[in-house]
Amino acid sequence: MKTFELSRADDPGQAIAAGAKATTAQQGAEIRFIAGGTNLVDFMKLNVETPQTLVDITHLPFDKIEALPDGGLSIGAVVRNSDLAYHPVVRKNYAVLSEALLSGASVQLRNMATTAGNLLQRTRCMYFRDTAMPCNKRQPGSGCAAITGINRGLAILGTSEHCIASNPSDMNVAMAALEATIHIRGTKGERSMPIADFHLLPGSTPERETVLEPGDLITHVTLPPPAPGSRSLYLKLRDRTSFEFALASAAVVVTVAGGKITRARVALGGVGTKPWRSPEAEAELTGQSATPAVFQKAAAAALRDAKPQSQNGFKVELAKRCLAHALKLVTQTA
Amino acid sequence: MPTTEEIPMASPIGRDTPRIDGPLKVSGTAHYASDFHFPGLLYAVPVEATIANGRIRQLDTTAAEKMPGVRAILHRANIGKIFRSSLGEGMEGICIERRPPLVDDVIRYYGQYVALAVADTFEAAKAAADAVRVTYDKNKPNVESQLKADDDPPVVATTYGTEKRLQSERGDAEAAFASAPVKLDQTYATPSETHNPIELQGTTAMWDGAKLTIYEESQAIFNMRSVLAQMFGLPQENVRVITKFVGSGFGSKLWPWTHCPLAAAAARKLGKPVKLVLSRKMMFQSVGHRAHTQQRVRLGATPEGKLVSLQQDYAYERSMLDDYHENCGEATSFQYSVPNLRVHFGRAKRNIGSPSDMRGPGAVPGLYATESAMNELADQLKIDPVQLRVLNEPKIDEGLKIPFSSRHYLECLQVGAEKFGWSQRNPEVGSMKRDGLTLGWGMAGAAWVAARFAAAANVELRDDGTARVACGTQDIGTGTYTILAQLTADKTGVPVDKVEVVLGDTSLPEGPVSGGSMATGSVVPAVFDAADNAAKSLMTLATTTAGSPFEKNEPDDLAFESGRVFVKANGPAGGIPFADILRRANVRFVTGSGESKATFEKKKPKFSTHSFGCHFVEVTWQPEIARLRVNRVVTVIDAGRIINPLAGRNQIEGAVVMGIGMALLEHTTYDPQNGAPINSNLADYIVAVNADAPSIDVHFLGYPDKVINPVGARGIGEIGLAGVAAAITAATYHATGVRVRALPIKIEDLLTSSILA
Ligand SMILES: Cc1cc2nc3c(=O)[nH]c(=O)nc-3n(C[C@H](O)[C@H](O)[C@H](O)COP(=O)(O)OP(=O)(O)OC[C@H]3O[C@@H](n4cnc5c(N)ncnc54)[C@H](O)[C@@H]3O)c2cc1C
Ligand code: SF4
């Protein structure tokens, strides 16, 4: 770990002004906001992140979960993952989000972790963590040790020849299926975008993971009102029963009416370089009856473009089973 | 047959006894080795090689030396002399990685220490270690997981002495196999596994002139003393090693690793106490691990299931310089009756840190292979796997041709089968269902050596009615403090909570290694002897103190029982509490020393001494999501008399959970490119967590083994792990039809199952 300065932001403007002095908000940022610190500090200890300045944003007034007039929900950037998971409205209207959060990490970590921190958590690729190894994400142009090395846990969707790192977040997958909107305040004012546009594919610039620019502060995330009659669910598959990242996961939000699926939102985790929304699966589901054959077609569609590496080919089949089973469970009449 | 009734009910031996050190631990007042602080303490952080094969070209310390708080960057040129240690008699001078740290510039494994940063704070030392620039001439490391045995002579040196590679042979195994009507020939592999005790290893070293004191979480303080004395050219009495508590070791803390002399050398150089605590990453690199093994097992049998031939050819990985022997043949030669047998091993050098003993070393991977082969043979013969074992029960240890001191393996199988409900098993793959899940039932047997190390102890009886027992052994979290209190209480009549137990210091009488599941069995006779001798001192005092009611008696007339001294002829009724005698004599305490000899590796033993056991396992299989979980385990253990069943069950349960890790999760993965154990943290190296722990029903048979010691207690630390993985792979096959012969069983293996609902 390198020596750094820690300051505390008492209002958003202060944080944004401080952050704006950095040359990048991506890999190599000299100034970082620190929220729960559960991801950032880990990487600082490994010298993967070497910020000179940390700005503590946990005192900013973004710690509320509030109902929106349209029936949706606003979630502050520094709301703790535990508080979000156990919020009564989240449990009632957005079960998939609560389940995704509770499937992640451990109680202690969830008590520290925040909404924005979770959105921005970085890959678990083991080479990204080891500064002695080549890694295009950590050190652009140095190569990708995972493609030629150990890649069992990494992505099969959205990869490039430069990087196959998976986005490890469970929360993000639920938010993708819920079509969340990310709200950002920066030097040029406020802007917002669907979560689908927030994370970037690695392409030839895997060091760029999001649209964030220096000074950009995530203030909150909003969820649209729950689709009438919809049910949602998160299913996470992994080697052990708890406290492990997903090998494959599925977030599904489905409405069934008159025996037909009238609306479906599907996102996959553990397999994509970003939270992986699957319009292909959604298209296969919409207008169809809720049957295993339809679920399997949807699963096949979601994985059609999968590009397995030397050790993670099994994820294609695993993700298919995960999605098909999640769809079965969510459409089962109670 | 001896029964468990021999020791009166009032005895604390055999009674569930909560840990006497429990309150200290839960209140954070137990001082582990790295919890000790000293005035002027400096902190050291090693610089780790980031290649696994090559040479240091240049080591640039300029920037690091100038950093704030830095006292020194130590390396080959300035660390000072560290000698090589060598193997001594018995439990002396044992060290797996013999090369003194920093002695040359050759890198043989990733994470090998190349320098040491020492500073006023841990943070400054870590920053300085990170700032040391090292360049290397790099060669491709050999971390190939396919093990082809190197060209080695028939007799090889190992960490513990020389070994014949043809470990055991009787009859003509090859010919008997060739002509056997039923044959099985399979190869099983176990991966490198990392011990991962939660307490990190570390050393705090300080010098007082020519005297060296070490605080270290050691499983063997006296061995550590002897190794350090050699490395620094000191008389043994000038080295003191202190280990008050150990946050578990699983074998990784048995023998000294290179960080220990590094800390001592830094303290010598800087004239201050130095503390060096490893990172979790280093725990994967430089303090040992369970060796990756590959074992070909060939069984020949009659159609009825009688074994006619057993061959085990195993190979294991070792480091470039060291000779650690992963003795997979440990239990092979005696576990079953077979006239023709051959056990042979080979080794393969790799660019890895040395493997070392890990809980149930040798036997655990070995029994995984041989018990798996037995299970496969049973399936092939369509014989129940329990029945196959019954059919091949030996009358004696056929390897050594001597009787077992106490073997109740068949009763283990019978009790286990009954408690589990094994008779309900339908052997057809995928045939058993419950609540929409497919069930798999499997079983396997277990064995682990039982013997004693040499031990000495001291017992004091004090004038306030309390007792003190001292022994230079260690409590590695298994309950040794409590066992010593129970033994002393049993002999002296002092209640367990009035016995002070002092362990973990080489200034105490020499105690046994906390390894091989032998600490408990070893201390029993020493403590008993010490207590008897303390009683003798007491009786002498009673007969020589003016005004004592026993003034007219000879010591031999007296007896000491349940804390009271009395005239034998009059019986215990007229006895006097020992504290009264001491107070009357104005003596604070009487003391007695005791010792017992080693039986481990005795040249001509009369009995074969082992513990036995078996596991019955239920897994559930959910093909829709390729999810396999261990749901229920019944374990029966024949480990002699259990001194503290509460702690004993705890040992077995923990071992079973570790077995789940071995079967389904754990695997230290070496990067093929630069040889790093790449999953070197607890998020990427997957061990079983609480949610993976199934219902575990532990049953002890409890037959005392008086060949081992007067209480009849053998050890229980390791036996619980042996066989678990074989039982789980068998249950997995039963549920899924997938036969996995390379651990751990992975989801990718299970996805090939044709049991789809
Ligand atoms: C052992 C372990 C296991 C885990 N297991 C799982 C798991 O199974 N599933 C899972 O989903 N997650 C898991 N996690 C990850 C965990 O969810 C994240 O560490 C956590 O969500 C990060 O949140 P934080 O608030 O601590 O982020 P921080 O570490 O504080 O910040 C992370 C990043 O976000 C930036 N940031 C934070 N807030 C803002 C903001 N408002 N605006 C702009 N930038 C911001 C920071 O600058 C930093 O770059 C695990 C973590 C650990 C350590
Ligand atoms: S997959 Fe991405 S993060 Fe991992 S080594 Fe390759 S470039 Fe780096």
Side-chain angles (χ1 to χ4, degrees), chain B residues 186-211:
Chain B
Q186 292 295 353
T187 298
Y188 302 88
T190 62
S192 313
E193 279 187 87
T194 299
H195 306 81
N196 274 317
I198 286 305
E199 183 200 22
L200 300 166
Q201 293 206 40
T203 304
T204 302
M206 70 199 78
W207 292 79
D208 176 6
K211 290 199 162 126

Side-chain angles (χ1 to χ4, degrees), chain A residues 123 125 127-128 134-138 143-147 154 162-165 206:
Chain A
T123 185
C125 174
Y127 300 98
F128 178 63
C135 168
N136 288 326
K137 186 185 278 297
R138 182 170 27 76
C144 171
I147 292 177
L154 300 183
H162 303 282
C163 180
I164 56 168

Side-chain angles (χ1 to χ4, degrees), chain A residues 253-272:
Chain A
V253 186
V254 178
T255 313
V256 181
K260 295 264 187 265
I261 297 169
T262 55
R263 181 180 182 275
R265 295 293 180 269
V266 170
L268 299 176
V271 289

